[in-house]
Amino acid sequence: HTEPMRCVDLSELLESECQEFAELGQPASFAGAYGIRCDCRPDALARAVRNLIDNAIKYGGGSRVSVRVDVEWVEISVADDGPGIAPELRERAVRPFERLSQTNNVGFGLGLAVAQAIAAGHGGELILDANRPTGLIARLRFPAHS
C-alpha cells in the first residue's frame, strides 16, 4: 500500500524534521527557502530526510538541510562537514545492509537505501556529492509536479 501524493508545504515539513533533532540536542538546521509547496508522499519523504539527517549527524557531526525548486525539479539537500564518502564508494553506500564504517556499528546500514527507494518512488534519485571543503551532500531530487 502506497501513501497517496499530496500537495504540502515542503519547507515546513523539512523545518519540522530539523526541529525534532534540535530539540533532542542534535545539530540539525534548516537553511531556507520558505513557502515551497509540492506534490509528494509527505510521510515517506519525511522518513527519507530523517535518515539523511541522522547519517549527517552520526558521521558528519551535524546537518544543514535546504530545498530548492525549479520548473522541472525539487531538490532537498542534507549537508555535513564530516569525512564524506569517497566517490568510488558512493554506489556501495546506498546498498541495503552496507555499512562503510566498521568502527560505528549503529543501525543496519539501511538509511541511504531507504532514502534512495523513497526518491525512486517519487520518480527521482538520491545523489551523493562531496561537500566543500569537507563532508557530504546527500540530495533527494525528484520531478516537480505542478
Side-chain angles (χ1 to χ4, degrees):
H1 182 69
T2 306
E3 176 187 7
M5 296 286 271
R6 292 193 336 234
C7 185
V8 299
D9 185 325
L10 189 56
S11 305
E12 197 174 278
L13 182 146
L14 297 173
E15 187 172 43
S16 172
E17 289 303 319
C18 289
Q19 282 175 343
E20 286 187 29
F21 279 92
E23 286 169 10
L24 297 171
Q26 302 292 322
S29 62
F30 177 66
Y34 289 92
I36 292 180
R37 298 186 64 80
C38 74
D39 290 326
C40 66
R41 295 182 178 90
D43 294 342
L45 207 53
R47 180 176 179 203
V49 169
R50 269 193 306 274
N51 288 349
L52 296 177
I53 293 171
D54 191 49
N55 279 352
I57 291 169
K58 266 188 221 163
Y59 305 113
S63 72
R64 290 177 309 285
V65 179
S66 59
V67 60
R68 63 189 186 99
V69 65
D70 61 29
V71 177
E72 293 184 51
W73 299 99
V74 174
E75 187 174 277
I76 299 166
S77 297
V78 179
D80 68 54
D81 297 314
I85 299 174
E88 65 273 12
L89 296 177
R90 291 180 191 150
E91 187 180 318
R92 212 177 103 199
V94 298
R95 290 187 203 146
F97 305 107
E98 189 73 43
R99 231 191 339 259
L100 301 179
S101 170
Q102 298 307 312
T103 58
N104 187 349
N105 287 325
V106 177
F108 295 100
L110 289 171
L112 292 177
V114 168
Q116 181 178 12
I118 291 168
H122 282 80
E125 59 187 334
L126 173 66
I127 303 160
L128 302 178
D129 280 325
N131 195 6
R132 303 284 182 225
T134 63
L136 184 75
I137 299 177
R139 291 187 172 95
L140 280 171
R141 191 168 179 261
F142 56 93
H145 302 288
S146 47

